[in-house]
Amino acid sequence: MGMENFERIRNEDFYYIDKTGLIKNLLENKSYVTLFTRPRRFGKTLMMSMLKYFFEIGSDSTLFDGLEIAKERRLCEEYWESFRLYPLV
């Protein structure tokens, strides 16, 4: 049906509508629970894959080069240095 793997989309140059700005909202507006609601076939699985690659230890930070979240360099470096120990490249 569709591509649901963020890493594959970025590495194989598939068309991608950038939703990484949502990461900034998640990091700045901390809450105990975050509910992601979208209609069926609106990219929930792809969004979860994108979040996985951002938050998972050992993920390749270069996947986010050129995307909205990469403009938030301080936020990314602060998060990755605190939790992942991988600086934004």
Side-chain angles (χ1 to χ4, degrees):
M1 288 252 186
M3 182 72 57
E4 298 173 345
N5 184 297
F6 180 75
E7 181 180 40
R8 185 169 176 210
I9 286 173
R10 294 294 290 160
N11 285 335
E12 297 180 21
D13 294 322
F14 283 94
Y15 184 73
Y16 174 69
I17 297 173
D18 187 3
K19 301 284 185 178
T20 60
L22 297 170
I23 296 170
K24 179 182 178 186
N25 293 340
L26 285 174
L27 292 175
E28 290 181 342
N29 303 315
K30 295 176 173 54
S31 63
Y32 186 70
V33 174
T34 302
L35 176 64
F36 296 100
T37 59
R38 296 258 197 267
R40 184 175 176 211
R41 306 291 316 146
F42 257 72
K44 291 180 294 293
T45 304
L46 177 57
M47 185 166 54
M48 292 296 112
S49 177
M50 180 256 311
L51 292 171
K52 172 190 173 239
Y53 284 103
F54 186 84
F55 289 111
E56 188 171 63
I57 293 173
S59 293
D60 181 9
S61 64
T62 62
L63 292 173
F64 297 91
D65 288 352
L67 298 178
E68 188 69 26
I69 193 64
K71 295 175 186 174
E72 303 295 333
R73 193 162 193 74
R74 180 202 53 80
L75 187 69
C76 291
E77 288 175 350
E78 182 179 299
Y79 175 77
W80 286 337
E81 287 175 7
S82 297
F83 298 99
R84 294 179 57 191
L85 303 176
Y86 296 101
L88 182 64
V89 177

